[in-house]
Amino acid sequence: MLSVMIANALLALSIAVPFGPISLMCVQRALIFDPWRALACGAGASTAHAVFAAFAFLGAHYAIGHAVGLKPLLQSISGLLLFILGIRILFLARRGDVSAPVTVSVSGDFAAGLTMALCNPTTILRYIALSGSDISQVRGIVAGLTATISGVVLGTVVWYAVLACSASAVQSKVSRAFLARLNFLSGATLAVMGLSMVALSRSGG
């Protein structure tokens, strides 16, 4: 069971590590606020990863297949969310307000990370591989599901914790002007990502 958990942790880590919108949100929150805001965002994403992994382990082919069939819609929703978030961050950056929260609380950060990860069709597709892989094979449904979810949560939380702590460690050395530029860059990046996802969903990509 321990080997299954470790294998799933490594798989989840490999899925989470590519720097994307959620990682960007974590770094921004750690630099502007504190690591707990960043960890809350990462915890939301980790919860979504655990849900996908649980579906994959249980062999929920219909549920996953239905989600894959909804890929264009999910991609559009995710893209719109990214675009709206990016525009809001750009608006705050233009005002020079580097400390105004995009979300108002830790629970809001958790919800933002959860929503973004749940609406990401790429994450769903990557976890489909779990349903037929050797690392999902363990005696006992309960034991296997526990090992799978525990491993996925461990792997993703480790990555977001590393991001949050690394960004927080240099927080005191970051100037207000740099934070303003980071806000602008983050907003522009998220907005462009959002528009790209919407365009891809319309083209069937």
Side-chain angles (χ1 to χ4, degrees):
M1 183 171 171
L2 179 61
S3 62
V4 174
M5 185 176 74
I6 294 173
N8 278 286
L10 293 174
L11 172 69
L13 185 62
S14 69
I15 292 174
V17 163
F19 203 85
I22 296 175
S23 295
L24 185 61
M25 289 164 63
C26 285
V27 169
Q28 185 194 39
R29 280 159 174 73
L31 287 176
I32 296 176
F33 303 108
D34 56 64
W36 299 112
R37 295 288 298 266
L39 283 172
C41 183
S46 295
T47 301
H49 281 251
V51 170
F52 295 146
F55 273 127
F57 175 83
L58 293 172
H61 298 293
Y62 173 78
I64 295 175
H66 189 61
V68 174
L70 292 175
K71 180 181 177 180
L73 177 61
L74 291 173
Q75 208 165 28
S76 293
I77 293 173
S78 184
L80 285 173
L81 288 172
L82 276 180
F83 179 74
I84 292 171
L85 179 62
I87 292 299
R88 174 158 173 73
I89 294 174
L90 280 174
F91 177 74
L92 294 175
R94 186 175 181 182
R95 286 195 328 186
D97 191 350
V98 299
S99 60
V102 176
T103 49
V104 296
S105 63
V106 170
S107 60
D109 291 321
F110 178 89
L114 176 65
T115 303
M116 288 307 309
L118 285 176
C119 289
N120 189 344
T122 304
T123 307
I124 299 173
L125 292 171
R126 287 173 178 169
Y127 276 106
I128 291 177
L130 267 177
S131 58
S133 65
D134 292 336
I135 64 173
S136 67
Q137 306 305 315
V138 66
R139 290 184 178 180
I141 295 290
V142 175
L145 185 60
T146 300
T148 297
I149 292 177
S150 299
V152 167
V153 170
L154 175 63
T156 51
V157 165
V158 163
W159 168 244
Y160 293 121
V162 168
L163 275 182
C165 293
S166 299
S168 182
V170 299
Q171 184 185 42
S172 60
K173 301 177 182 179
V174 176
S175 67
R176 189 178 180 85
F178 177 83
L179 290 177
R181 288 194 292 271
L182 176 65
N183 261 1
F184 184 85
L185 178 61
S186 299
T189 301
L190 292 176
V192 170
M193 283 182 175
L195 288 177
S196 298
M197 289 181 71
V198 172
L200 282 173
S201 69
R202 289 180 174 274
S203 66

